[in-house]
Each structure stands twice: as structure tokens, then as C-alpha cells.
Amino acid sequence: MRIEKCYFCSSSIYPGHGMKFVRNDCKIFRFCRSKCHKAFKMKRNPRKVRWTKAYRKATGKEMTIDPVYEFEKRRHEPVKYDRELWADTVKAVSKVSEIREKRERAHVKKRINSGRKQRQARQIKEIEKHIDLLEAPEVGVKKLKQKVSVKLRSSDIEPMEM
């Protein structure tokens, strides 16, 4: 049983699912669903479509360069069956998946922290821009009274009483 990858979104295609498109030059494109097939026919770039794996890698939302991903590459080398080799391979696959999950969690945590710092910087800039709105109303009234009294003293005009 071979699990293929979708040409457009890079998701897994299990046997009996998806569709194939064979171009005139015999290049085979596999799609997991009609959504991917239609996007391909409309000549959309997978790196610019937000829900694809290519977009997530291009924008830094997923890890791209990591030695763990070398294990996922297909190898076209037939190997004679050996029970010990098979058992070692299964153990190695489980260890590799644990390492990959750990590194992905660290990558996500790093992205969240950088986003938090950017958000705090934007909020601080906004507060500095509108600091006058944050002062207490009593402070504003006192400043206004001081300005009015200073203007009245500077000009020899007496205030009118009603």
C-alpha cells in the first residue's frame, strides 16, 4: 500500500482516493480532492494559497529545514527482508517522530513568543500616541483652569460674571 502526496496541498492520498491528471508530456499530477484539482486547473500558485503546506513553509509557519525530514524521503532501493532490521526500523521511526514533534512544538512556541513581542510593541506605540486619553479627568480639569487663569492674568481683561 503506497500513500501518495497531493501535488497542490501536499496532504496524504490513500489508495482509492483522490484523482490523477496526466499531462501530454506524461507528467502525473495527483490530487487529494476536487478543491486541489480545480485550483491547479486555475493555475493558482500553491505558495500563495493560504491553506496549502507550501504556503505555510514559505511564510515560516512550519519548519522547513530540519534533518528529521530526511527520513521521510522515498528511497528506491529494494532491501531483503530481515526481521531484526525491520524491528530496528520501527524503533527508529518512533524515535524520529518523537524528535520531530518536540522540535515542532519548540518552533511553534518560538513563533508565539515573537508574535507576543510584536503585539506588545504595537500596543505600547498606540498608548504613547494617545496618552492624553489615559490621564485622569481631574488632571485635565486642573490643567484647563490653570491655562484659563494664566490667560486672564496675561491679558488685563476681567472675566464676565453672569
Side-chain angles (χ1 to χ4, degrees):
M1 178 171 82
R2 175 171 282 176
I3 300 172
E4 305 286 349
K5 291 285 182 188
C6 177
Y7 178 81
F8 195 78
C9 70
S10 303
S11 65
S12 300
I13 306 172
Y14 291 93
H17 294 268
M19 61 190 80
K20 280 186 190 177
F21 170 68
V22 182
R23 205 164 52 189
N24 286 342
D25 62 351
C26 296
K27 171 92 168 94
I28 298 173
F29 300 95
R30 292 177 177 85
F31 303 103
C32 58
R33 53 185 174 249
S34 62
K35 179 181 181 180
C36 297
H37 189 217
K38 288 175 185 174
F40 175 79
K41 286 193 293 188
M42 288 190 280
K43 298 184 177 180
R44 291 216 172 121
N45 188 347
R47 286 171 290 177
K48 294 183 180 178
V49 179
R50 297 181 70 107
W51 49 269
T52 61
K53 194 97 161 173
Y55 174 84
R56 294 186 60 78
K57 286 185 178 180
T59 55
K61 296 187 181 297
E62 286 189 12
M63 292 185 353
T64 54
I65 303 168
D66 196 38
V68 174
Y69 292 116
E70 294 296 319
F71 291 107
E72 287 186 6
K73 289 187 177 176
R74 284 172 59 182
R75 290 165 180 81
H76 296 291
E77 300 171 8
V79 179
K80 188 174 181 184
Y81 176 76
D82 181 17
R83 180 176 277 186
E84 293 174 13
L85 177 66
W86 183 256
D88 292 342
T89 305
V90 170
K91 287 178 186 176
V93 166
S94 64
K95 286 181 183 179
V96 166
S97 64
E98 287 176 16
I99 292 169
R100 185 178 63 230
E101 289 171 4
K102 188 176 179 181
R103 288 182 180 173
E104 285 175 354
R105 281 194 300 266
H107 178 73
V108 168
K109 202 175 274 190
K110 182 179 170 186
R111 277 187 43 237
I112 289 172
N113 286 338
S114 67
R116 185 178 295 139
K117 289 176 184 175
Q118 290 174 354
R119 194 174 335 111
Q120 285 177 346
R122 279 196 310 263
Q123 290 172 348
I124 288 172
K125 193 179 274 187
E126 184 76 18
I127 288 172
E128 289 173 352
K129 185 177 180 182
H130 301 290
I131 192 72
D132 57 316
L133 299 175
L134 296 176
E135 291 180 345
E138 298 85 32
V139 175
V141 171
K142 288 179 183 177
K143 285 183 180 179
L144 185 63
K145 286 182 180 178
Q146 288 175 354
K147 286 181 182 178
V148 169
S149 63
V150 169
K151 285 183 181 179
L152 290 177
R153 285 186 207 142
S154 63
S155 63
D156 295 340
I157 304 172
E158 295 182 15
M160 292 177 35
E161 293 185 23
M162 291 187 188

